[in-house]
Amino acid sequence: MQDRTINQASMDPSRHPQTTSSNNSKTAELDPVLHSIGFEIEEVSPSQLTGRLPITTRCCQPFQVLHGGVSALVAEGLASMGAHMASGYRRVAGISLTINHFRSAAVGDLVLARAKPVHVGRSTQVWEVKLWKQPGNNNKAGHPQIISESRVTLLCNLPVPDNLKHAGDALQKYAEGSPKAATSSKL
Amino acid sequence: MQDRTINQASMDPSRHPQTTSSNNSKTAELDPVLHSIGFEIEEVSPSQLTGRLPITTRCCQPFQVLHGGVSALVAEGLASMGAHMASGYRRVAGISLTINHFRSAAVGDLVLARAKPVHVGRSTQVWEVKLWKQPGNNNKAGHPQIISESRVTLLCNLPVPDNLKHAGDALQKYAEGSPKAATSSKL
Amino acid sequence: MQDRTINQASMDPSRHPQTTSSNNSKTAELDPVLHSIGFEIEEVSPSQLTGRLPITTRCCQPFQVLHGGVSALVAEGLASMGAHMASGYRRVAGISLTINHFRSAAVGDLVLARAKPVHVGRSTQVWEVKLWKQPGNNNKAGHPQIISESRVTLLCNLPVPDNLKHAGDALQKYAEGSPKAATSSKL
Amino acid sequence: MQDRTINQASMDPSRHPQTTSSNNSKTAELDPVLHSIGFEIEEVSPSQLTGRLPITTRCCQPFQVLHGGVSALVAEGLASMGAHMASGYRRVAGISLTINHFRSAAVGDLVLARAKPVHVGRSTQVWEVKLWKQPGNNNKAGHPQIISESRVTLLCNLPVPDNLKHAGDALQKYAEGSPKAATSSKL
């Protein structure tokens, strides 16, 4: 099944050039765990985050396909950054994540990720994170194929303790656009 | 709230000695991604898997607490191994994971993990994975406190392709007990 | 937050006239439980199902707002019918459902529902079901507001027992369009 | 697979006599939607709720088995009541529910339900709800078999509007035991 919700433009390979050292250092600063498995953060804003994961053995399970837990790690990482921005840099805490896996990705594949807010409320936020694999050896479809989809729910009305006041500084440095205003929803 | 479902015996710190080189090499062989974030697999059997994760900056997000995605990674990794064993070493594929986060764990904490099957059917398996933090700096409760709980759903009736026939060999080497018989449930 | 994914056209109130007796009898035949809480099935096809739920005390909890379990009931009902059609009228079995609630709906509100396939594989299908409330007393936003979003996962390769061969007949009578071809995904 | 977590005593059929009119009126008062599908609430306390659902066509889908959405409805209903009590009768709002279905139940089966808190925090609660079918025509195992398991997450620090101050009165009338104290967890 072709995923009709893919924005072909935003998933255009020409917009995803080879690894850049600036994306690498940004990822190392924003989320060292994502960096350690080879993920590269690209766009960072309160309304969308994107990134790419070249599949290597660093992120595979023994059957040589992308570790399902790595997909969840990417989802939780991007959603946490997004919710932190969208809350106006308050402290956020992930309270649940659900991921559905649709297809595998194998060594050599290039996986693209995109996180978007589904709900930005006063107390909670819900983010959607989708992963696709680019056309290539394991994708003969001629277009990006979705490999997983997550929903991440976060509490977003937590005070930031004094000793962590600067923990969000790196994110503010890279964020594009202004924090999203809160919705009228009480949840 | 004290979690009454914790088996205090199995969570006894004396059963979780310092890092052993054998657990380290076992984890490197069974799940390199779990190994890379510092997780150490201990017990491996079709009815239970356990392990430990000393919290270091390698597995934390910028607020210096355990990255929620790492908890999901541990859950997916342990459940996949468990389902592979419980299916009699057929190929399994995780199709969904849901995790609830209850508490944070910080650098210096020791986190314990336990995976158990909730449902072993002909077509699907569901595994529960719980993480606790040991009493210490961030846990004054005098007993392990639960930090997250996952449900991992896997398809377990997939054929193993010829070129991957040996991918499960490492797991068979370490597995204790015999594979669990399939249930009467058709799901 | 305005939900940008709403297709305003398909949510146009003029396309949702007053209760019709034909929709009522269709719902009674297709899903008696949905019928009993006042839900009316409208469009029925392998690629989309829609319907409406006028909120009355029949579907509310004691705080006089839509019972969250009713939203889940609608999601499971529509997704099951959709997956049954999209599988070519094989037997399907829901294996999991996740719902996120965003807003409440109260007595007097009109709630619209739409189910769409997210993934149609050989072994499993995943459907998305969204509920909105129409502009009115409890929605001053001037456009439909999303109140919940579900993901329903179903096994879709189950044989239909002989004694149930006719259980899908009602659905075939009402279905628009032909069953969707299976995807190349093995999951 | 035998579910070892079932408390056989609490699932003893002798503790589940025929429908009583007091349970019927209690359910009608506490949750009219549950009442409408034939569910009977039994025990009601901040640490456990139980009930029973005799399977009739009122709660089945066209394949004549228990509608999966009804299982979710039971879970959301019991968890909401439980969280309302455990919060000290503050207003609670379900923000997500995940249910895994393991087995079917058919007309004539007796299904038992039990809800227990998994996490009672300052801001959120998570409840587990399990359903079993009693030994009988569709269960030859000689013990209750689990048919589904849910996790319900609720926000529990919401103020109760003045016009709804009495909405929880019915629950206080039937509740056994005192409200559970909040945990030290900030989530």
Side-chain angles (χ1 to χ4, degrees), chain B residues 1 102 118 149 151 183 185, chain D residues 1 118-119 149 151 183 185:
Chain B
M1 182 182 62
F102 303 132
V118 169
E149 193 176 301
R151 289 287 176 283
T183 177
S185 164
Chain D
M1 181 182 62
V118 169
H119 173 72
E149 193 177 300
R151 289 286 176 284
T183 177
S185 164

Side-chain angles (χ1 to χ4, degrees), chain A residues 2-183:
Chain A
Q2 182 169 351
D3 184 317
R4 301 194 186 92
T5 67
I6 301 178
N7 178 337
Q8 293 282 345
S10 81
M11 290 296 130
D12 177 357
S14 65
R15 295 192 54 219
H16 297 274
Q18 294 307 307
T19 304
T20 63
S21 58
S22 73
N23 281 343
N24 260 330
S25 63
K26 179 163 68 175
T27 309
E29 199 173 351
L30 291 179
D31 194 325
V33 185
L34 286 191
H35 180 65
S36 76
I37 51 104
F39 190 84
E40 301 159 24
I41 297 173
E42 295 176 326
E43 184 182 347
V44 176
S45 85
S47 58
Q48 180 167 293
L49 296 95
T50 62
R52 43 185 275 154
L53 178 65
I55 306 301
T56 66
T57 53
R58 265 202 290 180
C59 53
C60 283
Q61 33 93 306
F63 284 94
Q64 297 308 312
V65 295
L66 174 61
H67 195 300
V70 168
S71 303
L73 177 64
V74 168
E76 184 105 24
L78 295 183
S80 297
M81 283 181 265
H84 185 45
M85 286 184 281
S87 73
Y89 298 98
R90 305 203 64 167
R91 188 173 194 183
V92 297
I95 56 173
S96 64
L97 172 149
T98 296
I99 186 167
N100 290 102
H101 302 290
F102 303 133
R103 283 183 184 78
S104 59
V107 171
D109 281 339
L110 174 60
V111 166
L112 307 178
R114 189 188 66 199
K116 291 172 82 78
V118 169
H119 173 73
V120 177
R122 282 188 225 165
S123 304
T124 61
Q125 292 185 28
V126 178
W127 282 67
E128 168 198 277
V129 185
K130 294 187 175 185
L131 302 185
W132 293 268
K133 61 180 167 187
Q134 285 284 49
N137 282 342
N138 297 296
N139 173 3
K140 305 296 192 195
H143 58 82
Q145 282 185 313
I146 193 158
I147 60 172
S148 71
E149 193 176 301
S150 302
R151 287 287 176 283
V152 186
T153 304
L154 309 102
L155 280 187
C156 53
N157 54 359
L158 301 172
V160 178
D162 280 343
N163 63 326
L164 292 172
K165 283 270 188 273
H166 299 289
D169 286 0
L171 202 48
Q172 297 197 40
K173 182 171 69 181
Y174 293 112
E176 304 160 23
S178 52
K180 197 162 225 161
T183 178

